[in-house]
Amino acid sequence: MAAGRAGGGGAARYFTRWYKPDVKGRPCEDFCVLQHSNRICVITLAEAHPLLQNGKTIKSINYQISPNCSRLQNKVSGKSKRGAQFLTELAPLCRISSTDGEEYTIYSCIRGRLIEVNENILSNPAILQEKPSTEGYIAVVLPKFEESKSITQGLLTQEEYEEVLLKRHNNSA
Amino acid sequence: MSSLTEKDKPIVQLLLNTGTCPRCIFRFCRVGSQTLYRHPYKDLMQDLTEFLKNNQQQEDAAGFGIVDPPCKRIRLEHTEEVPDDLNQNGVLKHVPLVNDDSAAVENSTVEVCNVCLGILQEFCEADFVKRVCEKVKSADYQFTSFVFSVSLPPQLSVRERAAWLLVKQEMGKLGLSLAKDDIVQLKEAYKWIIHPQLSEELGVPADGKSLFEVSVVFAHPETDEECRFLATACPDCFKPAKNKQSVFTRMAVMKALEKIKEEDFLKHFPCPPCSPKNLCVALEIQCNNGAVFVAGRYNKYSRNLPQTPWIIDGERKLESSVEELISEHLMAEFKADSFNFSSSGREDVDVRTLGNGRPFAIELVNPRRIHFTAEEMKELQQTINNSSDKIRVRDLQLVTREAIGRMKEGEEEKTKTYSALVWTDKAIQKEDIAFLDDIKELKLDQKTPLRVLHRRPLAVRCRIIHTMKSEYIDEHHFRLHLKTQAGTYIKEFVHGDFGRTKPNIGSLLNRTADILELDVESVDVDWPPALDN
């Protein structure tokens, strides 16, 4: 068992990090998709996301993304996760409001079946900000077997993302 | 009735005329004496002819005790050829009875029986017995008894039915009846004759419960089409053929014969059945030994060894496996065709199994050797242990199939103990972890871990950590010993699996924790019985 600790410890050890920055053109609304070698993906907020910046307090988290669709009602059964809500890249997972009046939509970023959303952040929104990459995850998505390699085509590697961050930093300087 | 009586004469004559062999004739006359069937074929032929010629003089034809005095003088002649104008309107062909004293014609070549197609003829002879025994001996099996199973071509049931209808009708004329169940079954008669011969040649008894099976498949291609009419008469008995296998299985044919009406049967099938040109052929003679079970406990000392072979897309990801290291030697010693490995739970590739080890059982399929003394098993165990330092086996022994159930019980019900090397992000002091030792019966809610979620259903499982014992190492490390309920995910209890296992070590210590090493210290199942290793 390697003692590699990239990305916060044991639970995240076997995951590869992929990024989607500026989703829907909204500046700095970056997401990080943790992809396990078994193709399970965990959707999380990337460090640069406004919700994770100093001074932001979360007011509410809402998994009801439309009158007919609540992510909380997602029910899967069996090994093949039948009954799961199917997500496309820009399918909303939840909407988060902060105390300063802003509203942020969290997107799936990948195609696949929604396995579960993290209900812990409903009861304890603080962990979303304290541990965004582990306990504060947003959702777990299982891509189709045939698409498990191609889902990362629309995403950036850690290296590519760091370049994006660098550019942002230079532009704002 | 154990032998032929006067009443049987018309039937005997009828069947003999239509090309039925002596032993089949006995069967339809309900002869139940096994010894009679075992008499040599030529003798039987002779005796039957004598029996038919016999008149008022109460001659005791060899082997037949004629009980009833003949009431009429019936002399019948064995006609050489059966007229083959088959009456298709359901009326039995009329066999002429000729009052002629001419001697019975003795055929120099044996006609193939129109009912058993040679099974009760050629295939009862010493030559065939020798052929079977040679095959058995060359296959080199270890056995103390045998069961002889025979697969007969389905058209035999059809011919049997035709013969029965013929005999039934003839007996009806004499005011007698013959139920289907009264007839001696062909397979039964065959076994009466061949079992003693096989037993003598192989030197072991025949036993229906034997694990050693000698099986013969008979076929008669010449008459394979004879079942076809049943498909038109009873189409729902025959399911579409899978993989080119014949639709006309024995089961299907028997079912159709149950359903079909007598008139319909007689419309489509000659009664009596016609004499075939050829005998049956014995397609295959195969031997098979019942599976043998070897159980034991294994230790795993490598952190790089899967329990079962790890192959993805035809590519082996890690060399060898626990299963292969153990079974390789068993396969060689028992000379089996294949094996099935099972164990009381399992551990990850990177987890060691220490202590008394984990119970396992291997089913060895079709082993050539089945007898091993306790000494030999010990030697086998030693060989396995000498062959690799990655695993070790103990308590290696032969067990019964039923015993496997106990092992699987253990998987669900018994406790396991573990030792985990834990890392924490924030510093810890001895006092910070001491409280873990006092926690008893800690209830966990574990969602299906992400690392197996792709192939398991999403569920929450409640598991109990019975006791814990911590050993402080340094500010970021300690060893944790735990005793848990079967089915607890230890790694997830330590690192929390994104908070999906609650509580977890991280939440208990208010830190981020990770597991660096895991060992299984014991699997608390008291099976298989411990031997003094």
Side-chain angles (χ1 to χ4, degrees):
Chain A
M1 247 180 267
R5 206 108 322 111
R13 194 187 312 120
Y14 293 107
F15 291 84
T16 312
R17 304 173 73 91
W18 299 91
Y19 295 86
K20 199 169 179 86
D22 307 313
V23 175
K24 279 229 171 152
R26 298 169 66 109
C28 293
E29 288 192 27
D30 304 345
F31 298 94
C32 178
V33 175
L34 301 174
Q35 186 193 36
H36 194 280
S37 48
N38 69 13
R39 79 184 207 277
I40 290 266
C41 293
V42 184
I43 314 300
T44 68
L45 299 181
E47 287 290 330
H49 195 283
L51 279 170
L52 301 181
Q53 305 318 311
N54 279 338
K56 278 280 191 193
T57 315
I58 295 179
K59 190 169 78 173
S60 66
I61 302 178
N62 191 2
Y63 279 111
Q64 184 92 34
I65 53 149
S66 78
N68 288 339
C69 181
S70 163
R71 297 302 183 198
L72 288 176
Q73 279 165 0
N74 189 53
K75 276 205 171 22
V76 298
S77 67
K79 281 188 219 173
S80 50
K81 320 297 184 291
R82 264 167 306 127
Q85 293 171 5
F86 193 81
L87 304 169
T88 52
E89 288 92 329
L90 291 176
L93 289 172
C94 63
R95 298 192 211 285
I96 304 183
S97 317
S98 49
T99 51
D100 56 9
E102 296 281 350
E103 201 192 62
Y104 303 91
T105 303
I106 315 298
Y107 297 96
S108 170
C109 303
I110 57 168
R111 280 169 59 87
R113 289 183 194 229
L114 176 63
I115 305 299
E116 68 180 36
V117 289
N118 188 358
E119 296 190 30
N120 292 332
I121 58 176
L122 280 182
S123 45
N124 184 11
I127 51 160
L128 173 55
Q129 294 172 307
E130 284 164 33
K131 298 193 171 161
S133 293
T134 52
E135 276 100 332
Y137 72 98
I138 307 289
V140 177
V141 180
L142 177 65
K144 285 194 205 179
F145 184 76
E146 314 81 68
E147 292 179 14
S148 46
K149 301 255 159 67
S150 59
I151 53 150
T152 54
Q153 271 162 18
L155 305 172
L156 304 180
T157 62
Q158 178 92 34
E159 244 177 47
E160 292 164 340
Y161 179 62
E162 278 166 15
E163 279 173 37
V164 167
L165 289 179
L166 201 56
K167 259 205 218 120
R168 259 188 218 160
H169 180 77
N170 292 341
N171 285 347
S172 60
Chain B
M1 142 191 1
S2 66
S3 181
L4 291 180
T5 66
E6 196 62 29
K7 282 204 289 207
D8 300 313
K9 271 199 184 156
I11 307 301
V12 174
Q13 185 67 74
L14 174 63
L15 290 176
L16 207 50
N17 287 349
T18 56
T20 305
C21 75
R23 295 181 178 125
C24 283
I25 294 177
F26 283 168
R27 295 193 300 112
F28 282 91
C29 292
R30 297 177 288 173
V31 173
S33 154
Q34 295 186 23
T35 5
L36 269 179
Y37 288 84
R38 292 182 194 139
H39 286 193
Y41 189 81
K42 248 170 71 176
D43 292 357
L44 290 178
M45 256 330 237
Q46 215 167 23
D47 294 340
L48 269 186
T49 335
E50 285 295 313
F51 168 73
L52 289 174
K53 280 207 325 227
N54 185 46
N55 51 28
Q56 297 282 75
Q57 287 134 14
Q58 289 258 344
E59 267 171 65
D60 193 15
F64 307 158
I66 296 188
V67 178
D68 312 340
C71 46
K72 223 165 33 176
R73 192 174 149 141
I74 304 170
R75 267 184 280 173
L76 309 160
E77 173 162 285
H78 169 78
T79 53
E80 172 104 30
E81 216 175 277
V82 177
D84 59 0
D85 52 345
L86 303 164
N87 189 322
Q88 295 292 325
N89 289 338
V91 175
L92 295 176
K93 196 184 61 53
H94 178 68
V95 181
L97 303 179
V98 179
N99 242 356
D100 194 325
D101 268 4
S102 52
V105 179
E106 218 184 79
N107 293 334
S108 47
T109 50
V110 175
E111 248 184 24
V112 178
C113 175
N114 66 337
V115 177
C116 71
L117 300 177
I119 299 289
L120 293 182
Q121 299 174 289
E122 191 67 28
F123 293 103
C124 293
E125 298 295 313
D127 277 347
F128 181 67
V129 172
K130 213 164 96 181
R131 186 174 147 204
V132 173
C133 292
E134 260 164 25
K135 188 71 202 292
V136 172
K137 287 177 189 160
S138 68
D140 199 25
Y141 277 82
Q142 217 181 29
F143 54 94
T144 51
S145 63
F146 70 94
V147 60
F148 184 59
S149 67
V150 156
S151 168
L152 301 171
Q155 52 271 38
L156 281 185
S157 322
V158 180
R159 284 170 167 258
E160 185 90 0
R161 170 62 56 95
W164 173 51
L165 293 177
L166 177 74
V167 175
K168 203 162 68 127
Q169 184 172 103
E170 191 63 26
M171 288 181 74
K173 290 189 204 152
L174 306 168
L176 299 166
S177 67
L178 178 68
K180 193 144 56 82
D181 293 338
D182 289 341
I183 304 169
V184 175
Q185 291 297 301
L186 196 156
K187 258 198 198 174
E188 204 182 340
Y190 185 50
K191 291 194 177 173
W192 287 343
I193 305 165
I194 205 165
H195 273 184
Q197 296 182 67
L198 285 174
S199 201
E200 162 122 23
E201 186 74 23
L202 294 174
V204 296
D207 177 5
K209 294 208 211 70
S210 178
L211 289 174
F212 179 60
E213 183 188 20
V214 180
S215 56
V216 182
V217 176
F218 287 107
H220 197 254
E222 184 190 324
T223 55
D224 269 344
E225 295 300 303
E226 280 182 1
C227 302
R228 204 149 278 283
F229 74 96
L230 289 171
T232 18
C234 304
D236 50 315
C237 289
F238 297 96
K239 295 207 187 89
K242 299 182 203 174
N243 304 333
K244 284 189 195 174
Q245 266 177 6
S246 175
V247 169
F248 300 104
T249 60
R250 269 190 85 72
M251 287 284 11
V253 167
M254 308 256 274
K255 237 171 72 177
L257 286 174
E258 298 274 308
K259 284 185 78 174
I260 194 172
K261 292 209 262 283
E262 221 173 276
E263 313 89 69
D264 292 331
F265 181 90
L266 290 170
K267 262 193 224 144
H268 293 103
F269 195 81
C271 185
C274 46
S275 290
K277 290 200 201 66
N278 303 303
L279 284 170
C280 277
V281 282
L283 279 185
E284 305 170 3
I285 302 171
Q286 283 191 339
C287 301
N288 188 78
N289 233 339
V292 151
F293 295 85
V294 175
R297 300 179 83 109
Y298 71 82
N299 286 105
K300 174 156 117 57
Y301 300 121
S302 162
R303 292 198 188 281
N304 229 350
L305 186 69
Q307 201 207 47
T308 53
W310 192 357
I311 303 174
I312 298 185
D313 296 332
E315 207 187 301
R316 193 183 267 271
K317 294 292 175 183
L318 270 185
E319 201 186 299
S320 197
S321 61
V322 172
E323 166 184 300
E324 286 165 297
L325 288 175
I326 299 176
S327 49
E328 190 184 328
H329 299 275
L330 294 178
M331 287 285 283
E333 278 300 312
F334 283 78
K335 298 207 197 16
D337 283 348
S338 64
F339 69 89
N340 288 317
F341 180 93
S342 60
S343 62
S344 179
R346 55 188 173 169
E347 59 286 306
D348 290 341
V349 172
D350 56 359
V351 175
R352 297 187 305 177
T353 308
L354 309 175
N356 268 349
R358 187 183 294 279
F360 69 89
I362 299 186
E363 177 187 357
L364 294 156
V365 178
N366 197 16
R368 301 304 186 279
R369 270 197 72 185
I370 54 171
H371 288 126
F372 285 83
T373 62
E375 262 309 308
E376 288 171 315
M377 288 305 285
K378 252 208 185 134
E379 270 172 38
L380 194 41
Q381 180 174 296
Q382 196 56 50
T383 311
I384 297 175
N385 290 337
N386 290 340
S387 69
S388 169
D389 54 0
K390 293 185 182 175
I391 56 144
R392 198 207 140 160
V393 298
R394 71 179 72 214
D395 304 333
L396 198 68
Q397 58 196 269
L398 290 166
V399 295
T400 64
R401 187 187 287 269
E402 292 69 45
I404 312 291
R406 289 216 49 204
M407 175 184 76
K408 283 300 180 182
E409 261 173 39
E411 189 169 342
E412 319 269 307
E413 293 163 6
K414 307 294 186 173
T415 57
K416 322 272 158 91
T417 65
Y418 300 89
S419 163
L421 180 59
V422 183
W423 169 87
T424 59
D425 60 346
K426 289 192 278 212
I428 45 164
Q429 304 308 322
K430 276 209 186 103
E431 310 84 70
D432 297 320
I433 61 171
F435 75 100
L436 293 173
D437 298 2
D438 301 326
I439 303 180
K440 308 287 174 212
E441 311 302 310
L442 177 64
K443 281 214 191 81
L444 304 182
D445 285 320
Q446 302 198 279
K447 280 198 187 160
T448 308
L450 293 177
R451 64 187 166 99
V452 298
L453 190 51
H454 62 298
R455 58 181 165 86
R456 295 263 173 85
L458 177 66
V460 180
R461 46 185 72 63
C462 294
R463 290 292 185 267
I464 300 188
I465 309 249
H466 297 297
T467 59
M468 288 190 275
K469 179 106 185 61
S470 58
E471 259 175 57
Y472 183 83
I473 299 178
D474 62 38
E475 287 193 337
H476 292 280
H477 301 92
F478 67 97
R479 201 165 269 289
L480 184 65
H481 300 272
L482 329 83
K483 181 168 175 173
T484 75
Q485 185 182 357
T488 309
Y489 286 98
I490 307 300
K491 293 178 181 173
E492 277 68 18
F493 171 60
V494 174
H495 63 58
D497 192 35
F498 290 72
R500 299 166 73 258
T501 285
K502 287 190 286 200
N504 53 73
I505 291 291
S507 67
L508 290 172
L509 298 181
N510 204 10
R511 287 160 171 78
T512 297
D514 193 6
I515 182 165
L516 301 183
E517 272 176 15
L518 181 60
D519 293 330
V520 177
E521 296 281 359
S522 73
V523 175
D524 307 324
V525 176
D526 56 4
W527 182 90
L531 310 171
D532 57 340
N533 292 277

